[in-house]
Amino acid sequence: MKIAIEGCCHGQLDDIYGSIKLLEQKEGIKVDLVLICGDFQAVRNVGDLECMSVPPKYRHLGTFWKYYAGIAKVPYPTIFIGGNHEASNYLWELYHGGWVCDNIYYLGAAGVIQYHGVRIGGISGIYKQKYETGHYEVSPYSPSDVRSAYYVREYDVNKLLQVKQPMDVFLSHDWPRGVERYGDLDALLRTKPFFRAEATANTLGSRANEELLTHLKPSYWFAAHLHVKFAAFVPHDKWVKQTYSQAVRDILSGKQHGRHANRPPVKQHNPDEIAIDDDDDEENEQMPQNVATQLQDMLMNGNPDEIAIDDDDDDSASGENEQNTSTPAAVPVTRFLSLDKCLPRRSFLQVVDVPAKNDEGFQYDLEWLAIVKVMNPYLSLQYQPIPTPSADQLQTAIQTEVAQLQTTVDLKMPLNFKPTHTAHDPHKPITPEDVHRWTSPVENPQTKAFCAMLGMENKINAGKVIPEAPMLPAVAEPASYTLVSPDMATDDVHQDAGDATVAVAAPLVAPILDVHQDDPPSPSKRAKLE
């Protein structure tokens, strides 16, 4: 089964799906599943933009609304997790997971499902403050809550720590802390020199994800957030002991070492560079170009289980590359890969081969259903968390639920997507009444049905319906929003000029989000902060 992995989506579904289609044509392959590692931006309308943590100048509808409205059809089964730039109000409706539109499944704040028998788990958001709090934010959000709504919570991590069965694939937005020490750290720091302080202090990445990698030990871990392609090969025994190669130890101790020791940092004009910029230059960037050519060095080299850590062929004979990319089969490993965002000259897409285990398609995961049911009473909707029982008590209850659910629940996932708020209509004016209605919480029928299936209380917007807003005068579309033109509704253009391939929408949409409050700052910004 060929799975296309995408880094940050930033609402550019048309361009991502178009790029995959071009790759299929060029390589003669068929992609079976798409995984997206956060910043998905399931924006249905302008109200959702009010619930997304981005500065006004970067607010744009993207192209998701067309799939939500049924104007466009999703060409590949797609699974995603949330990042730190999301329509948090919509994703909260589907806290336990669900269809954001036909054929696109959100894993929830934390979730595990199966696709063709392959076990896929994920954690949404990023690791920041308020880790120990409950999910207290309610839309429409305050300026503070719109940011904390996407923070990872200890409660959701604890649910994943109850998983005992093997995990095939795991998705996160930010990286597990310390994972950079098991890849080509030298090359990473030449591309992102402002990561050096965090890498040295072991603060680059998420402590929660570090704990999850230690516990879950998935075969594959895919991430994004840092806007760079980076692969690592993590033997579990070395991960637990925190042992690294001599080259990595030298870098962490401040010594110059490695095959790139005498090479200068990557220049800004290097077409292979992946820059994080704070200014407005990216507003003029085009959509993905030369995608299929870029992906060639990222495809599997005959081994469907391999993720290459290094692309430099001249290193093989040097003897200096101490970060071994292979390990005895008896030693369990996690193959980690982080990808960039969907922009020109960025490594944002990779295809991997993961063998299917059955032909059942989307299915619930029995162990995860039991975990969700057992943990549901401890889901706090207040600032203060609800204390949970001991791990042993939880495991006893989970095993009891597994036995019960095995005989009462149909694991085949229903295709029960139903819109809760109306989609953007480019031909209609937007009124304050519309925005008030769109930002108001509403109970999602999928979540209600899911909780009923498990026989547990629905705590997510329970009983809330679309409100009747006071009649207010119509207003022009706010200048701070970039709305997709009517011409974009159904017209996609794919051009091919020799080896340079491009998958773009016509006309081009406004620039996608680059870096904001919780993205890693650029060198210039970091210098100011220091």
Side-chain angles (χ1 to χ4, degrees):
M1 180 171 66
K2 294 194 180 299
I3 303 178
I5 315 300
E6 160 66 30
C8 296
C9 174
H10 290 169
Q12 302 303 320
L13 281 176
D14 283 357
D15 304 296
I16 291 167
Y17 290 142
S19 300
I20 295 172
K21 181 63 66 177
L22 286 173
L23 179 62
E24 286 182 322
Q25 294 171 356
K26 187 174 181 67
E27 299 301 317
I29 62 174
K30 178 67 176 72
V31 168
D32 302 293
L33 179 67
V34 177
L35 303 179
I36 298 179
C37 302
D39 283 357
F40 182 83
Q41 298 182 10
V43 177
R44 301 164 294 179
N45 49 52
V46 166
D48 287 346
L49 292 177
E50 292 285 345
C51 298
M52 187 165 67
S53 179
V54 295
K57 69 177 180 178
Y58 289 106
R59 291 176 179 171
H60 69 101
L61 283 174
T63 57
F64 169 77
W65 67 271
K66 299 191 301 182
Y67 300 93
Y68 178 83
I71 295 173
K73 184 178 180 180
V74 177
Y76 308 94
T78 302
I79 300 171
F80 77 97
I81 48 95
N84 58 312
H85 302 298
E86 302 290 357
S88 297
N89 58 326
Y90 187 27
L91 297 192
W92 176 250
E93 290 182 21
L94 297 168
Y95 167 82
H96 295 295
W99 304 101
V100 293
C101 67
D102 286 332
N103 217 22
I104 300 182
Y105 190 86
Y106 170 52
L107 276 176
V112 181
I113 65 171
Q114 295 187 25
Y115 184 76
H116 287 309
V118 175
R119 205 170 191 219
I120 301 171
I123 183 82
S124 291
I126 62 171
Y127 179 78
K128 296 285 287 186
Q129 306 93 334
K130 303 185 179 180
Y131 179 62
E132 295 85 7
T133 68
H135 287 280
Y136 62 88
E137 301 89 350
V138 178
S139 63
Y141 302 111
S142 69
S144 173
D145 289 357
V146 77
R147 289 167 56 76
S148 62
Y150 57 75
Y151 291 170
V152 168
R153 306 301 159 95
E154 185 177 29
Y155 168 82
D156 300 305
V157 173
N158 194 19
K159 287 165 67 177
L160 287 164
L161 292 176
Q162 306 312 311
V163 171
K164 300 299 182 183
Q165 298 302 315
M167 187 73 65
D168 297 310
V169 175
F170 196 80
L171 307 179
S172 68
H173 191 54
D174 47 359
W175 299 10
R177 183 176 65 178
V179 75
E180 75 282 357
R181 300 180 176 195
Y182 295 87
D184 193 339
L185 181 60
D186 185 41
L188 175 67
L189 296 181
R190 289 196 316 114
T191 303
K192 302 282 191 181
F194 44 94
F195 285 176
R196 184 174 295 275
E198 287 94 334
T200 302
N202 197 25
T203 58
L204 183 63
S206 163
R207 177 173 67 84
N209 287 343
E210 176 187 16
E211 188 176 6
L212 287 173
L213 197 160
T214 301
H215 176 77
L216 295 173
K217 301 179 178 65
S219 299
Y220 294 91
W221 186 303
F222 301 116
H225 189 48
L226 297 185
H227 298 167
V228 63
K229 173 198 169 187
F230 180 79
F233 196 81
V234 186
H236 297 156
D237 56 343
K238 293 184 178 180
W239 175 260
V240 172
K241 297 175 183 178
Q242 295 189 1
T243 56
Y244 327 113
S245 69
Q246 183 62 49
V248 169
R249 292 198 300 272
D250 286 347
I251 292 171
L252 297 177
S253 66
K255 295 180 182 179
Q256 292 294 324
H257 183 91
R259 60 195 181 284
H260 300 315
N262 298 319
R263 298 185 190 178
V266 178
K267 299 295 184 181
Q268 290 292 323
H269 63 269
N270 189 325
D272 294 325
E273 188 221 6
I274 300 157
I276 295 177
D277 198 1
D278 289 319
D279 54 35
D280 297 333
D281 291 344
E282 287 215 47
E283 294 190 5
N284 296 318
E285 292 203 66
Q286 303 288 302
M287 291 298 107
Q289 299 182 50
N290 204 17
V291 171
T293 301
Q294 291 180 45
L295 292 173
Q296 284 303 295
D297 69 323
M298 302 171 69
L299 293 172
M300 303 300 97
N301 295 320
N303 182 351
D305 292 328
E306 178 189 355
I307 290 180
I309 287 180
D310 196 287
D311 294 324
D312 295 335
D313 295 333
D314 58 351
D315 298 328
S316 57
S318 68
E320 295 184 7
N321 184 9
E322 300 185 48
Q323 190 67 43
N324 194 352
T325 62
S326 62
T327 193
V331 179
V333 299
T334 292
R335 294 164 174 83
F336 173 84
L337 179 68
S338 180
L339 293 169
D340 203 346
K341 56 184 174 178
C342 183
L343 279 177
R345 301 178 303 278
R346 305 292 180 102
S347 297
F348 62 88
L349 194 65
Q350 176 156 344
V351 175
V352 298
D353 258 316
V354 178
K357 300 179 181 180
N358 60 43
D359 58 358
E360 296 297 331
F362 281 94
Q363 283 193 306
Y364 291 121
D365 183 87
L366 180 61
E367 183 187 29
W368 182 250
L369 293 182
I371 291 169
V372 169
K373 183 174 182 179
V374 169
M375 293 287 289
N376 192 60
Y378 313 105
L379 170 60
S380 172
L381 304 185
Q382 307 298 321
Y383 189 87
Q384 294 296 328
I386 300 174
T388 57
S390 69
D392 288 342
Q393 290 174 313
L394 288 175
Q395 279 302 312
T396 299
I398 289 167
Q399 294 310 312
T400 299
E401 284 297 337
V402 166
Q404 293 179 352
L405 293 174
Q406 197 165 15
T407 61
T408 59
V409 171
D410 182 1
L411 295 180
K412 183 177 181 179
M413 193 177 293
L415 304 178
N416 58 348
F417 164 70
K418 183 178 180 180
T420 50
H421 281 298
T422 56
H424 169 66
D425 185 341
H427 302 287
K428 288 185 178 181
I430 298 170
T431 69
E433 182 182 18
D434 292 330
V435 177
H436 171 79
R437 184 169 59 252
W438 290 333
T439 57
S440 298
V442 60
E443 184 177 42
N444 194 296
Q446 293 182 69
T447 301
K448 183 178 181 179
F450 178 83
C451 293
M453 176 185 73
L454 295 183
M456 69 183 196
E457 177 190 3
N458 177 22
K459 296 186 175 184
I460 311 302
N461 298 347
K464 294 183 178 179
V465 297
I466 299 174
E468 293 185 9
M471 293 302 296
L472 298 170
V475 296
E477 292 169 348
S480 59
Y481 305 129
T482 303
L483 303 181
V484 182
S485 73
D487 294 336
M488 277 200 60
T490 57
D491 186 21
D492 289 339
V493 173
H494 302 287
Q495 299 171 341
D496 190 347
D499 289 335
T501 57
V502 58
V504 301
L508 292 176
V509 299
I512 72 169
L513 173 68
D514 182 31
V515 60
H516 303 303
Q517 300 98 325
D518 292 310
D519 283 320
S522 67
S524 60
K525 181 175 180 181
R526 190 162 295 220
K528 293 177 182 177
L529 294 175
E530 295 173 349

